[in-house]
């Protein structure tokens, strides 16, 4: 199974790579690209437009193989392996390397035997191919980084813990979750959205005033519906801490949610994982996250600190923003790559394998 099963997420990554490659050749005008590729200007513009490519991916429309070959090899001068990665992103499980005839039709020299072997290998192991792509994106990030390592990005902050702040948070989360693309989470505890009764299991619902509780419940119900609609199409991955989960279901743990409801949420995570093929969980063993983060494709990210269990730690000092939200592509890509590298570490340790994860989660409840 592909880590990113839908074209929307994969096309967004294609757009990022092509945009970077074009910036490497600053003198490369649209007119020059037309001469090099023999593609018309509108085709080139569509392939280089992040918004157009993203919308095409959302509709699950295929890219023309010959256009992608002409742009990557003739126009942007990408090497054969990188160009083949773009084709793999475009075609996913239907990937087949370009044939010699496709090169000859464009008056391109066909790849060498070694290049053909490397391209053929992309279809053998989707996981390794995905990690080759992550390595390419990591190198792009490093190449784009300014010499000072600091760069300005637009950030939205939510400060405060009132009922109005809770409502503003739920509205922001709903808007973010409504975006197309895979959702990726790193959190101590399972998402309340997978609970059968989110109203009973949500911390903020338990802590907020009656004045907005009904509205929060309604938004929570809408968010659950959005999650289920998006899950089959885009998939979802979540990373949780085993230590956190064990504490969460401990009778000694003071928490605004009753023990029964906390156990129900872990049970719901198990049930959700068993029933949904495109829902995956990775487990942090013996460590806990310093911050909790939700990422939507490479489009948006929101983070919060983990030291917010004030009922259990009443002396905790809480200063500054409660949540921070980004739609800046550069910032979100950095979060996305950090998530992928962590996921790779867990994958290599066997901590994303579904049967093993289910076994560990069931042990937490014993």
């Amino acid at each position: 199974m592909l880590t990113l099963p839908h074209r929307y997420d994969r096309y967004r990554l294609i757009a990022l790579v092509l945009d970077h490659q074009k910036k490497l050749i600053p003198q490369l005008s649209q007119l020059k690209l037309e001469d090099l590729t023999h593609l018309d200007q509108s085709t080139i513009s569509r392939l280089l437009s992040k918004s157009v490519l993203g919308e095409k991916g959302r509709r699950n429309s295929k890219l023309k193989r010959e256009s992608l070959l002409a742009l990557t090899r003739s126009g942007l001068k990408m090497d054969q392996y990188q160009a083949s990665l773009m084709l793999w992103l475009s075609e996913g499980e239907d990937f087949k390397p370009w044939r010699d005839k496709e090169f000859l039709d464009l008056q391109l020299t066909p790849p060498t035997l070694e290049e053909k072997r490397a391209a053929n290998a992309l279809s053998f192991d989707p996981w390794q191919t995905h990690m080759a792509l992550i390595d390419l994106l990591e190198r792009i990030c490093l190449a784009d980084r300014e010499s000072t390592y600091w760069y300005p990005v637009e950030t939205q902050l939510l400060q405060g813990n009132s009922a109005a702040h809770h409502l503003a948070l739920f509205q922001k989360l709903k808007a973010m979750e409504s975006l197309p693309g895979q959702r990726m989470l790193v959190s101590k505890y399972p998402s309340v959205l997978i609970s059968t009764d989110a109203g009973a299991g949500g911390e903020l619902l338990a802590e907020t005033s009656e004045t907005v509780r009904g509205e929060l419940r309604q938004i929570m119900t809408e968010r659950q519906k959005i999650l289920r609609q998006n899950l089959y199409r885009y998939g979802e991955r979540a990373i949780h801490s085993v230590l956190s989960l064990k504490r969460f279901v401990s009778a000694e743990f003071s928490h605004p949610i009753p023990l029964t409801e906390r156990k129900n949420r872990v049970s719901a995570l198990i049930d959700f994982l068993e029933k949904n093929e495109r829902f995956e969980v990775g487990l942090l063993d013996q460590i806990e996250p310093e911050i909790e983060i939700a990422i939507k494709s490479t489009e948006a990210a929101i983070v919060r600190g983990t030291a917010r269990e004030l009922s259990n730690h009443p002396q905790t000092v809480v200063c500054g923003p409660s949540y921070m939200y980004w739609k800046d592509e550069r910032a979100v890509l950095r979060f996305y790559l950090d998530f992928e590298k962590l996921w790779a570490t867990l994958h290599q340790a066997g901590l994303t394998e579904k049967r093993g994860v289910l076994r560990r989660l069931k042990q937490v409840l014993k």
Side-chain angles (χ1 to χ4, degrees):
M1 184 177 71
L2 294 175
T3 304
L4 297 174
H6 198 273
R7 280 191 170 90
Y8 177 80
D9 292 306
R10 304 200 310 269
Y11 280 16
R12 284 189 64 85
L13 296 180
I14 290 175
L16 285 165
V17 175
L18 296 185
D19 180 65
H20 168 77
Q21 194 67 23
K22 188 173 184 302
K23 288 177 180 176
L24 293 179
I25 317 173
Q27 72 277 14
L28 190 61
S29 65
Q30 286 274 35
L31 185 60
K32 181 64 175 175
L33 271 176
E34 286 186 76
D35 291 338
L36 290 171
T37 64
H38 304 293
L39 298 173
D40 60 84
Q41 190 273 334
S42 60
T43 298
I44 294 171
S45 294
R46 287 194 296 272
L47 286 171
L48 292 176
S49 169
K50 296 174 186 177
S51 59
V52 172
L53 208 57
E55 178 59 23
K56 195 174 182 69
R58 191 187 65 79
R59 298 196 310 269
N60 209 21
S61 299
K62 290 186 177 182
L63 299 179
K64 290 184 178 180
R65 291 168 56 94
E66 62 272 20
S67 297
L68 193 59
L69 176 58
L71 181 62
T72 54
R73 296 290 280 127
S74 297
L76 299 178
K77 307 302 180 184
M78 297 174 69
D79 66 44
Q80 181 60 29
Y81 186 75
Q82 291 179 350
S84 297
L85 272 176
M86 297 303 99
L87 182 64
W88 178 82
L89 276 174
S90 173
E91 300 194 330
E93 293 175 339
D94 299 325
F95 168 76
K96 290 181 177 60
W98 284 297
R99 302 179 301 276
D100 282 357
K101 184 178 184 304
E102 293 175 282
F103 285 88
L104 294 172
D105 286 346
L106 294 173
Q107 299 180 350
L108 286 170
T109 302
T112 65
L113 182 59
E114 184 179 348
E115 288 173 331
K116 287 180 181 180
R117 286 172 177 166
N120 288 334
L122 297 178
S123 60
F124 298 153
D125 189 340
W127 170 255
Q128 288 300 326
T129 303
H130 179 73
M131 292 315 299
L133 173 69
I134 297 305
D135 180 64
L136 173 60
L137 290 168
E138 181 71 30
R139 282 183 275 129
I140 286 175
C141 261
L142 290 172
D144 286 346
R145 187 176 293 166
E146 297 176 5
S147 59
T148 60
Y149 289 84
W150 288 92
Y151 53 89
V153 295
E154 182 178 337
T155 305
Q156 297 181 35
L157 306 179
L158 181 66
Q159 294 180 279
N161 199 37
S162 68
H165 289 101
H166 295 168
L167 183 58
L169 171 64
F170 273 38
Q171 290 168 335
K172 177 67 74 176
L173 290 172
K174 178 187 171 184
M176 176 178 165
E177 290 155 2
S178 297
L179 295 170
Q182 185 173 119
R183 188 173 76 144
M184 291 155 275
L185 306 174
V186 179
S187 62
K188 286 185 176 182
Y189 312 134
S191 169
V192 68
L193 296 182
I194 67 172
S195 301
T196 52
D197 183 4
E203 289 92 327
L204 291 183
L205 284 172
E207 295 173 339
T208 198
S209 66
E210 289 287 346
T211 56
V212 299
R213 191 170 296 164
E215 193 169 354
L216 290 179
R217 282 180 178 273
Q218 177 61 34
I219 297 175
M220 184 74 79
T221 300
E222 293 167 358
R223 289 174 60 201
Q224 284 188 301
K225 183 178 179 181
I226 290 166
L227 169 66
R228 284 164 171 77
Q229 288 174 339
N230 284 339
L231 180 62
Y232 175 76
R233 182 178 299 172
Y234 302 111
E236 175 159 332
R237 286 179 286 165
I239 296 173
H240 301 303
S241 162
V242 175
L243 289 177
S244 300
L245 293 174
K246 287 180 178 179
R247 183 175 62 252
F248 191 55
V249 299
S250 169
E252 289 73 37
F253 184 47
S254 176
H255 198 277
I257 298 176
L259 177 61
T260 300
E261 296 299 337
R262 284 181 267 143
K263 289 185 175 180
N264 285 344
R265 197 193 298 186
V266 178
S267 296
L269 176 66
I270 294 170
D271 186 61
F272 211 72
L273 186 58
E274 288 178 325
K275 292 181 178 179
N276 295 284
E277 181 185 3
R278 288 187 171 174
F279 180 64
E280 298 181 82
V281 171
L283 294 177
L284 294 168
D285 210 0
Q286 305 303 318
I287 57 174
E288 298 187 69
E290 294 293 334
I291 62 170
E292 295 184 332
I293 183 168
I295 308 165
K296 202 61 159 69
S297 190
T298 53
E299 191 162 353
I302 191 166
V303 304
R304 74 162 191 165
T306 59
R308 286 180 48 79
E309 295 156 350
L310 303 187
S311 58
N312 195 57
H313 302 288
Q315 303 307 315
T316 297
V317 174
V318 180
C319 300
S322 303
Y323 290 83
M324 302 178 71
Y325 175 81
W326 292 269
K327 273 186 71 69
D328 177 88
E329 186 177 76
R330 195 174 185 183
V332 177
L333 179 61
R334 183 68 268 168
F335 286 124
Y336 168 74
L337 291 174
D338 287 345
F339 178 91
E340 290 289 9
K341 288 189 289 184
L342 176 57
W343 187 266
T345 300
L346 299 179
H347 177 84
Q348 291 160 1
L351 295 172
T352 64
E353 193 272 322
K354 184 164 283 194
R355 286 177 297 179
V357 169
L358 284 168
R359 183 174 63 251
R360 294 286 300 274
L361 291 175
K362 290 173 182 177
Q363 290 172 349
V364 166
L365 287 175
K366 289 183 178 180

